[in-house]
Amino acid sequence: MNEAFSGVESKLIHAGEPRPQVDGAVVTPIFQSSTYLYEGTPGYHDVRYIRLSTNPNQRVLNEKIAALENTEAALVATSGMAAISTSLLSVLSAGDHLLALDCLYGGTHGLVTKDLTQLGITYTFIDGQNSDSWREALRQNTKAIYVETLTNPLLQFPDVEAVARFAKSNNLVSMIDNTFASPINLRPADFGFDLVMESGTKYLNGHNDIVAGTVAGSSDHILHIKHKLDHLGGSLDPHACFLLQRGLKTLAVRVRYQCESALRIAGYLSEHPAVARVMYPGLPDHPQHDRAQKLLSGFGGMISFEVAGGAEAADRFMRSLQVATLAPSLGGVETLIVRPAAAVHSGLSKEERDASGISDGLIRLSVGLETTDDLIADFDRALGSV
Ligand SMILES: *Cc1c(COP(=O)(O)O)cnc(C)c1O
């Protein structure tokens, strides 16, 4: 670790970068080479081959992510789901039991309930707000506890400090998907999480143009996960590494702007008569606002809200927008908007969605980097047409 800097903005730009620079290049070039000269001492770990995460672009990112998350080590992978699945498969084996947050990202929900079950790994869903209930769910073979910083799409904030404490006192591996917060707003390793996963596709890259994922933790944990990644084959290609590295340099300024913009937009929406309800951790009426204020450096760029009049009104509203773009995904420079019941959560039945509080008219908004006043004017025009 370079001692000359300690701030997150400096880490984003300088951590992990080769010194001296490669041929004097200020920006680390793309190493479009799948294999490297073999330098003597025999052994698998000396082999430099692209799938083994030993390409220079992969190594720069691994160090940069570890510096950002305040962990000993980190790994980049081909997608957020590659990072999550490889990490879970490295921690859990047949016969193990997992405690998992009851409102998981869709891909992770499918992985836990279908794929892990097929491999003989069982799970129990837990209520992230009610730490007293976790003990009852604990079994002799419980190995890990898995949560998300802010849930999708309702933006609930689990009691993450209690999760880390509970894991420590019960000898569980604590795992968190920190995608919605990004390491700018929360660094879960600081209060004891063992493994922190992020979808690099979202805030870390931030330009809606690649797919990538990261996992950070102790050297021991990351070495295990690296061996699993070597076998499963989810190493990130150098060109995507380069784009992720480039995107990361502006992460702090992007996320802070998005937080500021989202707070103003959430305030605007909550006062509009055509809006029935707004969920944003930065609003005082959010059920976990106090926890968010205490732990998060910013409330994030994600807002969920309902317009009066249900799904049809929501669709009319979204079709009238001219600045915000109707598309899934989040965390990028373009403001994106979806109706989860018709898009990202359409895989769930109406009953499952109702049970999770995802009404048909619910709208999820990822605030981008456009001028805040332009976005508010866009919403204002569209709300007028509902
Ligand atoms: C998008 C997302 C993922 C999956 O990431 P991919 O890069 O699409 O594989 C995981 N968790 C959360 C919270 C996400 O938003």
Side-chain angles (χ1 to χ4, degrees):
M1 174 66 74
N2 191 322
E3 313 263 302
F5 55 83
S6 58
V8 70
E9 296 82 1
S10 311
K11 288 178 183 179
L12 285 166
I13 293 161
H14 296 296
E17 303 286 337
R19 292 291 180 269
Q21 284 86 343
V22 180
D23 205 22
V26 169
V27 174
T28 304
I30 305 177
F31 287 81
Q32 200 70 51
S33 179
S34 63
T35 187
Y36 290 82
L37 287 182
Y38 187 60
E39 289 172 349
T41 45
Y44 175 72
H45 298 295
D46 303 311
V47 174
R48 293 182 61 200
Y49 176 61
I50 200 164
R51 180 170 42 74
L52 307 180
S53 298
T54 44
N55 171 285
N57 296 107
Q58 295 163 335
R59 290 199 309 209
V60 169
L61 273 176
N62 293 347
E63 276 188 44
K64 202 184 287 289
I65 298 295
L68 275 181
E69 304 275 16
N70 285 338
T71 56
E72 288 173 355
L75 268 179
V76 281
T78 35
S79 66
M81 283 315 300
I84 291 166
S85 57
T86 308
S87 300
L88 280 167
L89 288 170
S90 138
V91 168
L92 302 166
S93 352
D96 288 341
H97 174 250
L98 171 74
L99 298 180
L101 189 66
D102 54 9
C103 180
L104 289 173
Y105 175 74
T108 312
H109 182 272
L111 178 78
V112 168
T113 58
K114 299 200 173 74
D115 306 294
L116 293 188
T117 312
Q118 261 180 18
L119 296 171
I121 297 159
T122 53
Y123 65 91
T124 303
F125 283 137
I126 53 161
D127 174 352
Q129 308 302 338
N130 183 2
S131 53
D132 291 338
S133 67
W134 303 342
R135 191 157 297 283
E136 287 160 41
L138 208 56
R139 296 192 200 156
Q140 207 119 50
N141 58 340
T142 307
K143 191 76 184 288
I145 183 164
Y146 184 103
V147 296
E148 297 178 2
T149 305
L150 291 166
T151 64
N152 179 27
L154 293 174
L155 304 171
Q156 303 287 302
F157 188 15
D159 192 347
V160 288
E161 288 178 303
V163 172
R165 276 198 305 271
F166 182 80
K168 281 269 168 329
S169 58
N170 292 287
N171 226 353
L172 308 178
V173 180
S174 48
M175 307 174 73
I176 187 163
D177 176 342
N178 194 45
T179 301
F180 272 45
S182 92
I184 300 304
N185 288 336
L186 192 76
R187 285 156 308 279
D190 285 353
F191 50 92
F193 269 88
D194 295 309
L195 290 171
V196 183
M197 278 83 55
E198 316 253 358
S199 166
T201 316
K202 316 290 171 56
Y203 286 102
L204 298 190
N205 177 62
H207 290 73
N208 290 324
D209 54 10
I210 59 160
V211 58
T214 67
V215 52
S218 69
S219 306
D220 281 355
H221 272 303
I222 296 300
L223 188 63
H224 267 106
I225 297 170
K226 184 201 170 297
H227 290 159
K228 197 61 86 180
L229 191 72
D230 290 350
H231 296 162
L232 293 174
S235 61
L236 192 62
D237 84 272
H239 186 246
C241 283
F242 174 82
L243 289 174
L244 177 55
Q245 195 178 336
R246 179 160 100 156
L248 272 169
K249 292 177 187 177
T250 55
L251 178 69
V253 289
R254 280 189 282 108
V255 167
R256 279 189 205 121
Y257 182 92
Q258 283 164 316
C259 291
E260 253 175 59
S261 202
L263 186 60
R264 269 190 63 204
I265 292 168
Y268 158 81
L269 289 171
S270 65
E271 280 172 15
H272 198 288
V275 175
R277 119 179 137 120
V278 181
M279 281 143 284
Y280 183 67
L283 293 178
D285 66 354
H286 184 282
Q288 293 94 41
H289 176 64
D290 291 346
R291 182 179 299 146
Q293 199 148 35
K294 176 179 165 214
L295 294 180
L296 300 178
S297 309
F299 299 114
M302 300 299 297
I303 302 170
S304 288
F305 62 100
E306 281 172 26
V307 291
E312 279 163 36
D315 282 339
R316 268 198 306 278
F317 164 75
M318 295 201 302
R319 276 197 302 269
S320 312
L321 293 167
Q322 291 170 28
V323 182
T325 304
L326 232 160
S329 199
L330 58 107
V333 298
E334 291 89 7
T335 293
L336 301 181
I337 194 160
V338 279
R339 187 162 69 79
V344 283
H345 286 79
S346 54
L348 300 183
S349 67
K350 171 106 176 78
E351 288 71 34
E352 285 175 310
R353 287 199 302 268
D354 285 347
S356 322
I358 304 167
S359 69
D360 284 348
L362 185 78
I363 293 169
R364 188 191 78 183
L365 170 66
S366 168
V367 176
L369 293 186
E370 297 92 340
T371 310
T372 313
D373 286 335
D374 285 342
L375 290 170
I376 290 178
D378 196 30
F379 297 138
D380 211 50
R381 256 191 318 266
L383 283 169
S385 70
V386 166

